[in-house]
């Protein structure tokens, strides 16, 4: 973890502004992968680096402890050990009992839409993807019957839980929110901690006297550097997003959400993304999932039951539905500096009239997806510094795509970027709220514009990915492609820091 100035000029996954005026404490930043099955970004405002490091340690210790209680199929996980029992009252830990109680509460409040037995339906659709065919009507009916049985009985006096059914169970939905909220409590208990922001794969908790900018991902344009759908100012609240665009299955060329309705056996389809802001992290996490599954009438009842919740829903037709609380948090989106496509066409036409051979402009219907996956090391590990940019045929920088770092004075470790580009302005400093990402896997896009917002000419350009890790290695990857409105894909050879990378130049589409 490294300290930085109160307002960070670059773009790691999130940054914080509006620090206290007097005796301004430092901001300490940490990035890790493969935590809770995703990526973890932590920012701590503290009076000293020692306090920040201790707070981070306490947070990670709490995540580790609760993971061993609630998450996964490992036989050593308390939940897994309990789930393997049948018709036996088993005394369980405070946390497992609390989460089982919460599942009962939300199961009742959502008319059965939220349930640990959603795993039963999820497994059915995952098998369908393996088999290459939709689940049969009979298979869905059998799964729904199993999912809607009574799965456990709780005894509060003895703090015991009795497993009753044979249904596969998994504590998804709001359990991650429960864990990171407990981690925030552990970190804030350390002396000298002013504020804390934790982003676990797109679910965000903000604690302390600190307004934080949050950018909400467009569910149909979910690359790391895509323009956000909305921006919020959040303080002492949690932000949770659930949607169909990062996890799911594809069967017969049709994408199906990983969010499923245990009452029908079907993946959620009417709502493709739901973002909820609420002071209680569990409420935010539960509502974001429930809003994907429930009917319009059920959503109205839930919203009325939680008037403090702000929400933004996106329907499959692309319509955005939000409430007044959302409007209270929303901030003005910055104006785009993009040049209209017609401008490029007009310039091309003028050149033809003058008898000049003009370069063909970039086709705006096409974009480049840059996919990269950080190498996995044993246990948790720090994310390295990463710079991604585009050069022309003369190796002049054309467009900065992304820059991940946590302290400017170490940017010289990105040797090529530092010597040739050194451009940190313009990177989005907001926290990114989105559906949960896969750990270590990132997608960036290039829309064909240069750093001034103008479309470049069609032709050959080189994509550069540079990586430097503290106490690790330095790596650089370069790949030239011809961007001429003809779709193509290229793979880049992996290395010790980037296990896999690929370039996908394609026509834009609305599919996830």
């Amino acid at each position: 973890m490294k300290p930085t100035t109160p307002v960070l000029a670059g773009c790691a996954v999130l940054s914080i502004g509006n620090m206290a005026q007097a005796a301004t404490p430092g901001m300490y930043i940490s990035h890790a992968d493969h935590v809770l099955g995703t990526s973890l970004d932590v920012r701590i405002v503290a009076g000293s680096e020692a306090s920040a490091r201790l707070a981070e340690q306490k947070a990670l210790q709490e995540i580790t402890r609760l993971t061993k209680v609630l998450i996964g199929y490992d036989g050593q996980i308390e939940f897994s050990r309990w789930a393997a029992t049948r018709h036996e009252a088993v005394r369980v830990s405070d946390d497992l009992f609390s989460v089982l109680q919460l599942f009962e509460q939300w199961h009742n409040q959502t008319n059965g839409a939220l349930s640990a037995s959603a795993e039963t339906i999820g497994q059915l659709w995952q098998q369908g993807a393996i088999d290459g065919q939709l689940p049969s009507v009979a298979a869905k009916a059998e799964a729904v019957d199993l999912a809607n049985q009574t799965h456990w009985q709780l005894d509060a006096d003895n703090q015991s839980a009795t497993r009753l059914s044979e249904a596969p169970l998994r504590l998804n939905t709001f359990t991650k929110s429960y864990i990171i909220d407990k981690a925030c409590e552990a970190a804030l208990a350390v002396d000298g901690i002013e504020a804390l922001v934790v982003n676990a794969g797109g679910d965000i908790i903000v604690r302390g006297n600190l307004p934080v900018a949050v950018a909400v991902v467009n569910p149909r344009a979910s690359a790391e550097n895509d323009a956000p759908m909305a921006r919020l100012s959040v303080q002492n609240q949690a932000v949770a997003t659930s949607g169909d665009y990062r996890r799911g299955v594809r069967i017969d060329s049709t994408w199906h959400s990983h969010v499923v309705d245990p009452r029908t056996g079907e993946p959620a389809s009417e709502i493709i993304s739901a973002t909820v802001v609420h002071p209680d992290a569990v409420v935010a996490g539960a509502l974001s999932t429930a809003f994907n599954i429930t009917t319009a009438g059920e959503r109205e009842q839930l919203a009325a039951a939680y008037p403090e919740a702000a929400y933004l829903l996106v329907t499959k037709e692309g319509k955005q539905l939000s409430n007044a609380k959302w409007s209270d948090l929303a901030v003005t989106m910055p104006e785009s500096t993009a040049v209209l496509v017609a401008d490029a066409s007009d310039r091309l036409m003028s050149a033809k009239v003058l008898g000049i051979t003009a370069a063909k402009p970039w086709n705006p219907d096409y974009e480049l997806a840059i996919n990269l996956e950080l190498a996995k090391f044993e246990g948790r590990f720090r994310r390295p510094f990463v710079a991604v940019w585009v050069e022309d045929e003369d190796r002049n920088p054309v467009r900065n795509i992304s820059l991940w770092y946590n302290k400017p004075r170490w940017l010289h470790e990105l040797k090529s970027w530092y010597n040739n580009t050194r451009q940190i302005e313009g990177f989005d400093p907001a926290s990114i709220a989105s559906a949960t990402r896969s750990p270590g896997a990132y997608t960036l896009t290039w829309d064909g514009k240069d750093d001034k917002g103008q479309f470049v000419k069609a032709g050959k350009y080189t994509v550069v990915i540079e990586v430097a890790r503290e106490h690790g290695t330095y790596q650089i990857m370069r790949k030239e492609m011809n961007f001429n409105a003809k779709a193509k894909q290229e793979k880049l050879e992996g290395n010790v820091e980037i296990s896999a990378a690929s370039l996908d130049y394609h026509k834009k589409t609305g599919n996830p």
Side-chain angles (χ1 to χ4, degrees):
M1 181 182 290
K2 296 187 175 183
T4 185
T5 52
V7 180
L8 188 66
C11 182
V13 171
L14 59 96
S15 68
I16 303 171
N18 299 327
M19 304 288 291
Q21 294 297 313
T24 303
M27 181 188 302
Y28 299 85
I29 305 169
S30 174
H31 310 284
D33 268 307
H34 296 275
V35 180
L36 295 172
T38 185
S39 304
L40 183 74
D41 297 281
V42 180
R43 298 210 167 197
I44 300 172
V45 180
S48 70
E49 183 174 358
S51 294
R53 284 187 177 278
L54 181 58
E56 181 200 26
Q57 180 184 359
K58 293 295 184 182
L60 291 175
Q61 286 175 345
E62 187 68 352
I63 290 173
T64 297
R65 183 186 72 81
L66 289 170
T67 298
K68 293 179 179 178
V69 173
L70 302 169
I71 302 294
Y73 293 106
D74 189 323
Q76 300 304 309
I77 304 301
E78 182 188 359
F79 169 71
S80 297
R81 296 198 309 270
W82 169 79
T85 66
R86 294 295 184 275
H87 305 288
E88 175 188 357
V90 178
R91 184 172 177 81
V92 297
S93 67
D94 293 346
D95 291 297
L96 180 53
F97 193 85
S98 294
V99 170
L100 292 176
Q101 276 188 320
L102 285 167
F103 267 95
E104 284 193 343
Q105 171 192 327
W106 283 100
H107 184 270
N108 294 332
Q109 284 189 299
T110 60
N111 299 321
L114 292 190
S115 173
S117 66
E119 177 68 8
T120 307
I121 310 301
Q123 288 185 6
L124 178 70
W125 284 85
Q126 289 165 12
Q127 187 60 49
I130 294 172
D131 297 339
Q133 59 184 14
L134 296 172
S136 67
V137 173
K140 282 190 289 187
E142 183 179 352
V144 167
D145 180 66
L146 185 59
N148 286 278
Q149 296 176 10
T150 301
H151 305 296
W152 62 71
Q153 181 178 344
L154 300 180
D155 181 348
D157 293 335
N158 296 304
Q159 197 172 297
S160 65
T162 304
R163 176 85 151 95
L164 300 176
S165 77
E166 298 294 329
L169 303 176
R170 196 170 186 182
L171 301 180
N172 285 335
T173 311
F174 51 77
T175 302
K176 182 177 66 173
S177 299
Y178 177 93
I179 292 174
I180 60 176
D181 195 42
K182 291 287 187 180
C184 287
E185 290 180 7
L188 287 170
V190 175
D191 288 340
I193 303 304
E194 301 286 336
L196 175 73
V197 182
V198 176
N199 186 337
D203 288 339
I204 299 165
I205 295 181
V206 181
R207 296 288 182 247
N209 186 24
L210 185 72
V212 173
V214 173
V216 181
V217 162
N218 183 331
R220 288 299 178 256
S222 57
E224 299 298 314
N225 61 328
D226 277 324
M229 179 171 57
R231 291 176 183 269
L232 309 173
S233 179
V234 175
Q235 183 174 347
N236 272 319
Q237 291 179 298
V239 185
T241 298
S242 183
D244 73 346
Y245 54 95
R246 280 192 165 161
R247 299 190 180 190
V249 298
R250 191 176 295 278
I251 304 175
D252 291 336
S253 75
T254 300
W255 181 260
H256 302 277
S257 176
H258 74 291
V259 181
V260 296
D261 189 341
R263 305 170 300 181
T264 65
E266 297 289 342
S269 59
E270 294 302 314
I271 300 297
I272 63 172
S273 176
T275 299
V276 176
V277 184
H278 193 274
D280 188 314
V282 167
V283 172
L287 286 178
S288 67
T289 302
F291 283 156
N292 275 257
I293 304 169
T294 49
T295 65
E298 290 171 331
R299 290 195 294 274
E300 289 181 6
Q301 291 178 350
L302 283 171
Y306 293 92
E308 288 185 298
Y311 63 82
L312 173 66
L313 315 181
V314 182
T315 70
K316 64 182 180 182
E317 293 84 13
K319 185 178 180 180
Q320 296 184 16
L321 309 173
S322 63
N323 63 350
K325 284 286 186 181
W326 183 271
S327 299
D328 292 342
L329 297 175
V331 296
T332 303
M333 295 276 283
E335 294 184 6
S336 172
T337 58
V339 176
L340 295 177
V341 176
D343 293 342
S345 298
D346 290 343
R347 288 194 297 271
L348 180 60
M349 179 61 71
S350 298
K352 287 181 177 179
V353 171
L354 294 173
I356 301 172
T357 302
K360 187 176 181 181
W362 176 285
N363 188 320
D365 293 333
Y366 282 75
E367 65 181 2
L368 173 69
I370 304 166
N371 306 299
L372 59 93
E373 185 171 347
L374 300 182
K376 182 178 180 180
F377 301 97
E378 190 65 28
R380 299 190 183 107
F381 53 89
R382 305 290 189 191
R383 192 175 71 182
F385 284 19
V386 179
V388 182
W389 72 96
V390 179
E391 296 177 343
D392 62 20
E393 290 187 88
D394 296 323
R395 300 194 71 167
N396 296 313
V398 171
R399 175 71 177 272
N400 279 278
I401 303 297
S402 193
L403 176 65
W404 301 338
Y405 68 97
N406 62 9
K407 194 171 184 183
R409 72 186 183 95
W410 295 110
L411 283 173
H412 66 272
E413 298 293 337
L414 294 169
K415 304 171 186 176
S416 185
W417 176 88
Y418 189 80
N419 291 330
N420 298 302
T421 306
R422 211 179 302 187
Q423 172 69 35
I424 62 174
E425 291 81 6
F427 288 111
D428 193 339
S431 302
I432 306 300
S434 70
T436 302
R437 71 158 79 258
S438 298
Y442 300 89
T443 297
L444 306 165
T445 58
W446 181 36
D447 56 6
K449 295 173 184 174
D450 61 20
D451 283 324
K452 295 180 180 179
Q454 298 179 343
F455 279 105
V456 302
K457 66 180 182 180
K460 293 181 179 179
Y461 295 87
T462 297
V463 177
V464 187
I465 303 173
E466 188 176 24
V467 182
R469 181 185 294 276
E470 183 179 8
H471 308 303
T473 71
Y474 168 84
Q475 305 288 335
I476 189 165
M477 310 166 80
R478 307 178 65 90
K479 188 66 178 181
E480 184 182 77
M481 288 185 74
N482 191 2
F483 299 96
N484 56 2
K486 295 180 181 179
K488 58 180 67 69
Q489 296 178 335
E490 296 281 358
K491 287 187 177 181
L492 286 72
E493 184 176 351
N495 55 53
V496 68
E497 300 293 350
I498 303 291
S499 61
S502 64
L503 306 178
D504 181 5
Y505 177 58
H506 58 265
K507 198 168 187 178
K508 295 178 181 177
T509 175
N511 293 329

